[in-house]
Amino acid sequence: MNEIPPYLSVRVNFDNSDYDNVCVTYGGGVDRLPAWRELGNLLAHRSGWHFDVVNNGEALWSHGVFGDARLTIFVNQDLRFHCCDHDEDSDTFAADIPAVESWLSGREEGARKPSSTAITFASADNWKYLKLRPIQLRVSWSDGNYSATMPGLSDASFGHTLAEALDRAAEMICQLLGAPVEVARELTISAELEETAVRQLRGA
């Protein structure tokens, strides 16, 4: 069995990591904050999008799975929304949120799939990278089922038990990448439980 390097278990947290603080600190200052809030209102619950601090400390909304950032959006110094389609190697500067929505139209479906580069990397050496790479799932509970989702992945996996939901999520990840289903049992999975899942587990 392959041993997981210790550094892959390191979890990084900011002392004050609320959205406003991160946007002010890493997104260009207070002047850009209203635009970042507008962008957050658009993307926070939009399937597949996640917010990160990347590169040399830059705030960024991105869409993609398994480390890909196939679509990205940030607020630039002109207070416009810099929209990048990395598959097309193209940039668009949107003046307002309706323009961002127009740019998004027709692009998100393709971004939900792993790129050929991600698949090649994950499958190398008998899927070694996929097995070692920590995959964090978010788990909630509703209407008698646990649901497990992965950042950047729009589909959720459901199960009557927590284990069942996690197993189905692992199988879905393998299916998405074209990995043999038996690899699912070897994936390095961690789960962040939302309040609803915790209450159900505790019988509250």
Side-chain angles (χ1 to χ4, degrees):
M1 183 174 179
N2 296 315
E3 183 178 352
I4 300 172
Y7 75 87
L8 287 178
S9 68
V10 175
R11 182 170 180 172
V12 180
N13 293 302
F14 294 105
D15 287 338
N16 188 6
S17 59
D18 68 272
Y19 184 73
D20 278 2
N21 179 66
V22 171
C23 289
V24 170
T25 305
Y26 300 102
V30 175
D31 290 345
R32 300 189 204 180
L33 184 57
W36 278 111
R37 286 173 172 170
E38 287 185 277
L39 193 58
N41 286 336
L42 174 68
L43 301 177
H45 299 294
R46 198 177 183 107
S47 179
W49 285 91
H50 48 99
F51 181 67
D52 302 292
V53 176
V54 301
N55 301 326
N56 296 317
E58 302 164 1
L60 185 74
W61 279 96
S62 59
H63 194 314
V65 294
F66 304 108
D68 280 336
R70 305 184 74 172
L71 302 176
T72 59
I73 308 175
F74 63 93
V75 181
N76 69 10
Q77 61 185 3
D78 299 323
L79 302 183
R80 291 189 296 171
F81 302 100
H82 189 153
C83 307
C84 306
D85 185 325
H86 295 280
D87 289 342
E88 296 180 355
D89 194 23
S90 65
D91 297 89
T92 298
F93 298 91
D96 53 29
I97 290 297
V100 173
E101 291 185 284
S102 177
W103 177 81
L104 287 172
S105 179
R107 284 186 161 88
E108 290 172 294
E109 184 63 32
R112 294 189 179 103
K113 303 172 184 177
S115 66
S116 58
T117 301
I119 293 174
T120 298
F121 192 43
S123 62
D125 196 9
N126 194 31
W127 301 96
K128 178 180 178 180
Y129 172 75
L130 179 60
K131 296 172 186 177
L132 289 179
R133 185 184 189 276
I135 298 173
Q136 185 173 41
L137 304 175
R138 296 190 66 181
V139 178
S140 61
W141 185 89
S142 179
D143 298 325
N145 283 290
Y146 291 94
S147 66
T149 57
M150 187 181 77
L153 194 59
S154 57
D155 295 327
S157 298
F158 299 92
H160 292 304
T161 66
L162 176 58
E164 190 175 60
L166 296 177
D167 285 344
R168 288 180 177 175
E171 291 168 2
M172 182 174 65
I173 290 167
C174 287
Q175 182 180 20
L176 188 65
L177 287 165
V181 67
E182 55 267 23
V183 171
R185 299 298 301 176
E186 299 182 63
L187 298 187
T188 305
I189 299 287
S190 64
E192 180 177 328
L193 304 182
E194 295 185 358
E195 182 182 347
T196 53
V198 173
R199 284 204 307 266
Q200 176 64 17
L201 284 171
R202 298 180 68 192

